[in-house]
Amino acid sequence: MKIRFGVGTGSGSDPEDLPELVDRLEAEGIDSLWFSELIYAPAVDPTVGMAFALSRTDHLKVGTSVAILPGRHPVLVAEQLASLAALAPKRVLPVFGLQPATPQERDLFPVAGRRGDVFDESLRLLRAVLREDDVDFDGDYFTVRAARVGRRPARPLDIWLGGRAPAAFRRIGRYGDGWLGSFLTPAEAAAGVAAINTEAAAAGREIEADHFGITLLLAPDGIPADLAAGIAHQRPGTDPADLVAGSWPDLHRLVDGYLDAGLSKFVVVPAAGKPLDGFLDRFVTELLPRQN
């Protein structure tokens, strides 16, 4: 399996730093840059960020970690992805999720039914339009006739999904091409890989073995008390050190555990949200030698 490490911008990233960050990533030969969908934060919108980064690079891949699909029309999303892929073939890595992590942002993505059902149908329509021309689709939430995007990628884009609940694993197995998890222990990640593969087999599908990854938060000077408290509230009984790296050695320890669990793609996000403040230099030294 190809082991790859990318950089996540996180919630505290400054848009003014993005040009320098993109140029550094390209110059250092780093695999990928990932944009989170965080509306009420200074972070750049994922689609805008991806377009910007692609426009000034030749090799850097870009992805979303994650963007929200329910609440958007899948045909419009397909057009955006196809446009990006036409401008930068093989460098667009979309990952979609069910809803924003921040409760106050959830009203910004309204749906007309049960969110999980809308997500499933959105994925079916999105995948159809990215793979076929003149799509006719009759669903519970979307109806289209002769839908198409301007220029479909020669190779259909892989659609990865986030999530860590059983319903997410079912969805990934049925409709996804890969999984980007987050805030999971290595043991939980291994169980997730197994559950996804089981669901895929039941649906007559197969997820490629190197299409499993995770977003990892790194706090190199120790896990801050407020972050530890938030983890304790969300994941009672789970040691924060099994979810967040409190140092570079801890990051390697977690990576080793995730590799054993069957994961091979890693998005590393600086907890402070400042990738240019020493983080990137250490990233190159610590992680690029681990790629194969």
Side-chain angles (χ1 to χ4, degrees):
M1 294 191 298
K2 292 182 179 179
I3 299 171
R4 294 290 182 267
F5 294 91
V7 172
T9 54
S11 61
S13 59
D14 191 331
E16 294 180 356
D17 292 336
L18 188 57
E20 181 181 354
L21 174 62
V22 169
D23 294 348
R24 284 282 310 278
L25 295 175
E26 178 82 353
E28 297 286 0
I30 291 172
D31 180 72
S32 51
L33 174 62
W34 298 78
F35 296 89
S36 299
E37 181 140 73
L38 300 162
I39 309 301
Y40 297 144
V44 172
D45 172 85
T47 303
V48 173
M50 288 194 297
F52 177 83
L54 292 171
S55 72
R56 58 193 292 138
T57 58
D58 295 313
H59 304 287
L60 183 71
K61 303 183 189 77
V62 297
T64 57
S65 65
V66 298
I68 310 307
L69 184 56
R72 290 184 163 108
H73 199 292
V75 176
L76 298 181
V77 175
E79 172 64 16
Q80 290 178 318
L81 293 177
S83 296
L84 289 171
L87 294 169
K90 300 180 182 180
R91 294 202 285 143
V92 181
L93 309 172
V95 185
F96 292 107
L98 179 68
Q99 64 185 359
T102 306
Q104 57 265 40
E105 295 181 0
R106 293 175 185 172
D107 290 343
L108 304 177
F109 299 90
V111 296
R114 183 176 174 273
R115 183 168 287 274
D117 294 338
V118 175
F119 196 7
D120 289 349
E121 189 170 299
S122 297
L123 288 166
R124 294 199 300 271
L125 178 53
L126 174 69
R127 292 173 65 88
V129 175
L130 286 173
R131 285 163 170 75
E132 307 167 24
D133 289 330
D134 300 322
V135 171
D136 292 335
F137 187 95
D138 291 288
D140 294 326
Y141 308 103
F142 301 101
T143 299
V144 298
R145 291 287 177 269
R148 59 163 56 213
V149 295
R151 180 179 174 184
R152 288 189 292 108
R155 180 185 183 279
L157 284 170
D158 286 335
I159 304 298
W160 287 37
L161 304 177
R164 57 176 181 260
F169 299 150
R170 289 194 295 272
R171 182 172 295 114
I172 297 162
R174 293 172 184 173
Y175 307 117
D177 299 303
W179 177 40
L180 187 68
S182 63
F183 285 99
L184 291 157
T185 69
E188 290 169 341
V193 171
I196 290 167
N197 283 330
T198 297
E199 293 291 344
R205 305 180 68 240
E206 183 177 357
I207 307 295
E208 293 185 36
D210 65 349
H211 279 40
F212 295 90
I214 193 162
T215 298
L216 272 171
L217 201 60
L218 170 65
D221 299 318
I223 301 173
D226 58 343
L227 177 57
I231 292 172
H233 177 71
Q234 293 184 24
R235 302 290 307 277
T238 302
D239 186 348
D242 289 335
L243 302 172
V244 175
S247 66
W248 285 98
D250 280 347
L251 182 68
H252 286 288
R253 172 181 58 82
L254 287 173
V255 167
D256 289 340
Y258 292 124
L259 288 170
D260 289 341
L263 276 58
S264 61
K265 304 299 183 287
F266 302 92
V267 178
V268 183
V269 182
K274 299 291 183 182
L276 293 173
D277 291 350
F279 167 84
L280 199 54
D281 294 329
R282 286 293 297 271
F283 182 101
V284 171
T285 301
E286 299 277 351
L287 298 178
L288 290 195
R290 300 202 62 166
Q291 296 191 155
N292 56 8

